[in-house]
Amino acid sequence: MDAEQDSLENPFSMDADCRNCAGLCDARTNVVHGYGDVGGEFLFVAERPHAGADRTGVPFTGDAPGERLQSILGELGFARSAPDADEPDLQNAFVTYLTRCRHPERPPTDEEVRTCEPYLNAEIRMINPEIIVPIGQRTLDALATDYTTNSPGDVDVEDAHATTIRGRGFELVPMLPLQAQTDAQTEAFVEHLLDNVFSRDYRQTKGRRGR
């Protein structure tokens, strides 16, 4: 964890009682802001909190999808805690979402994603990661639009899973939705980072910029 960082949970003190989206405020249990090492080189971004994170208030905890990501982080050396940890001990990685609230019956609307965008923008700007991992098609579309020459729909997450896409200032390594991954697909993602990202100087793409 960054030496000057007081807490892994919501380290930028973002609004924990955000009321910007009327359709989500009464449906959510918790606002789930980012979590992890603010000096991390790797940023993992999913579309919205899973049911476990909505309940606990901590990203990627409390359910099977969260346990899968924590297991991946452990295999990559980013987590020093068990995959089912309630407060993962992360280093060199930060985890967050496009939208910070979960509706139990539907995904976020386009308007809700746009309303929540300043939170993600601020995290990316302050963390300035080397590698961004968009989890799922919608997250890939959003980040590819902002950080590559691709338009929404140009890249299919099923084809791009466990590959590297050169971006502006960093690289994207797409991942299939956690709840849809097979063990073999999870293993392929870990192997890609270990064999093709960690083995070279990925920092050559880094550039300080804001959105």
Side-chain angles (χ1 to χ4, degrees):
M1 185 170 74
D2 187 276
E4 299 180 357
Q5 184 177 349
D6 294 328
S7 172
L8 291 171
E9 185 174 356
N10 191 13
F12 301 117
S13 300
M14 293 178 174
D15 186 359
D17 191 36
C18 179
R19 308 293 298 179
N20 291 337
C21 297
L24 295 178
C25 292
D26 294 334
R28 75 187 183 212
T29 302
N30 283 292
V31 180
V32 189
H33 288 300
Y35 182 102
D37 183 354
V38 300
E41 297 173 313
F42 290 77
L43 176 65
F44 292 75
V45 187
E47 179 186 34
R48 61 172 177 155
H50 294 92
D54 177 55
R55 184 176 64 255
T56 65
V58 178
F60 302 100
T61 63
D63 56 19
E67 188 168 333
R68 183 176 291 270
L69 182 63
Q70 287 197 54
S71 178
I72 291 170
L73 296 174
E75 291 190 57
L76 294 172
F78 297 152
R80 295 170 288 190
S81 47
D84 61 350
D86 294 331
E87 297 181 354
D89 183 7
L90 301 187
Q91 60 179 351
N92 203 28
F94 195 88
V95 295
T96 192
Y97 303 101
L98 288 183
T99 54
R100 308 309 164 93
C101 299
R102 176 182 178 85
H103 195 290
E105 299 175 354
R106 62 167 177 81
T109 66
D110 290 342
E111 181 180 359
E112 288 164 350
V113 171
R114 286 191 296 270
T115 299
C116 225
E117 188 177 24
Y119 289 133
L120 179 60
N121 289 351
E123 287 170 341
I124 292 175
R125 183 175 64 254
M126 290 186 283
I127 295 167
N128 194 24
E130 312 274 2
I131 305 291
I132 298 182
V133 178
I135 303 173
Q137 186 66 52
R138 194 169 190 185
T139 310
L140 175 58
D141 286 345
L143 294 175
T145 298
D146 287 337
Y147 294 117
T148 76
T149 58
N150 295 294
S151 299
D154 283 355
V155 183
D156 189 293
V157 72
E158 291 193 12
D159 296 330
H161 175 79
T163 67
T164 299
I165 301 171
R166 182 62 60 88
R168 296 191 292 268
F170 28 68
E171 295 176 335
L172 303 181
V173 182
M175 180 193 288
L176 286 162
L178 292 160
Q179 64 273 21
Q181 286 182 47
T182 65
D183 290 343
Q185 289 167 331
T186 298
E187 183 178 351
F189 179 87
V190 171
E191 288 181 353
H192 176 72
L193 260 68
L194 293 175
D195 295 344
N196 299 291
V197 177
F198 287 10
S199 64
R200 61 177 172 77
D201 185 11
Y202 51 82
R203 296 170 182 82
Q204 63 186 327
T205 63
K206 191 176 181 76
R208 298 222 170 243
R209 62 182 296 273
R211 288 178 71 184

